[in-house]
Amino acid sequence: MTIQDIQTVQELLATPKKIAIIPHRGPDGDAMGSTLALYHFLLKQNHQPIVIAPNEFPDFLAWLPGSETVKIYEKDKDNCTAILKDAELVFTLDFNAFHRTGEMETVLEQLTVPFIMIDHHQKPDDYATIMYSDTQFGSTCEMIYNFISFLDQKASLDKTIATCIYTGILTDSGSFRFPKTTGNTHRIVAELIDLGVENTVIPTQLFDNSSYDRLQLLGRALQNMKVIAEKQTSYITLTQAELNEFHFVKGDTEGIVNYGLSIKGIVFSAIFIENQEEKIIKISFRSQGNFDVNEFARNHFNGGGHINAAGGKSEESLSATVAKFEELVHQLNV
Ligand code: 5GP
Ligand code: MN
């Protein structure tokens, strides 16, 4: 952020305001952590913030402080639309294009109040008055910490805010493993722990809360995994029937794609998940090293993300989608 940007934000926040804070659809730990961290921060500054998520957040994030206050647009459209129209300022966090909010997009497009974008994805759209958009960061939560520092408000950090920030840093960095994890990331985390963050409890809350069904589904996914050894690639498929068999609930497939990379020598992994209700195949891509899955997702599967983690979708059948993927992989220079 430039000094000018910081001043503009300070002016916008100088008087108490009704503020809407929005994560992307299908919010993850970073989206929920960043929006709730900002929520608690703005509450402390005497604003009237409210987090409006486009759709439900997964159960494994329900323990996050303040999650009970989050409004879900797709469950309560009239009320959420009214709140959005009444807002004097809108923060969009962990995404940079309105279409990432699904049906909420049409409401956001109509708003005329200032938008502040805080995000770490590539190629931001041009809707925000203030853009703190930087792909060098591993998480939006790390940027929220910086944002609070830029405003000279580090004194207002407390255990609650720190817990939300820690959650997004932890989840988006793959537990501090992904390449954008820096010394600074760890210095911030050290401060958060000093503020009381329960760093040995949070990973358990996030990662060790599987249902028996989820683990069985993971077992099936691993059995479905195919390896294209000569291209150092692996992929997993899950059909709607398989999801049904294990009583799939939201969040159950989170993270499964990463198992593909845990095979020795594999640098590119994908998972294809059939969604009969939305009539799409939802795809996640992960890579290790220089192979750019953001580019791959953008070019071939109507998606995007980051160099080592991206997603996309296909409106073709699962088998046609996988056939297309296999063909593309065989053309890769891995
Ligand atoms: P995931 O595979 O966990 O759903 O997403 C990995 C990353 O890719 C996330 O940073 C997410 O923002 C991005 N991503 C996932 N799905 C899509 C998509 O359909 N479009 C775009 N542009 N980005 C996506
Ligand atoms: Mn993120």
Side-chain angles (χ1 to χ4, degrees), residues 14-27:
T15 52
K17 283 199 165 58
K18 292 176 192 161
I19 303 176
I21 310 171
I22 302 167
H24 55 78
R25 194 167 192 280

Side-chain angles (χ1 to χ4, degrees), residues 99-100 121 282-286 302-306 309-313:
H99 70 84
R100 295 292 320 279
H121 294 90
K282 180 71 190 118
I283 314 167
S284 291
F285 299 107
R286 298 290 184 272
N302 199 20
H306 315 266
K313 51 189 162 303

Side-chain angles (χ1 to χ4, degrees), residues 142-166:
E142 186 169 334
M143 300 173 76
I144 291 287
Y145 173 93
N146 289 342
F147 182 77
I148 292 171
S149 312
F150 294 153
L151 296 177
D152 215 7
Q153 297 292 338
K154 264 177 61 175
S156 63
L157 287 172
D158 57 21
K159 180 179 173 180
T160 302
I161 299 171
T163 295
C164 297
I165 294 176
Y166 181 83

Side-chain angles (χ1 to χ4, degrees), residues 30 64 154 225 259:
D30 191 32
L64 275 171
K154 264 177 61 175
M225 187 188 290
Y259 284 90

Side-chain angles (χ1 to χ4, degrees), residues 24 28-31 34 94-95 119-121 138-141 168 172 306:
H24 55 78
D28 56 7
D30 191 32
S34 59
D94 201 35
F95 69 96
D119 179 62
H120 64 134
H121 294 90
S139 65
T140 299
C141 275
D172 256 26
H306 315 266

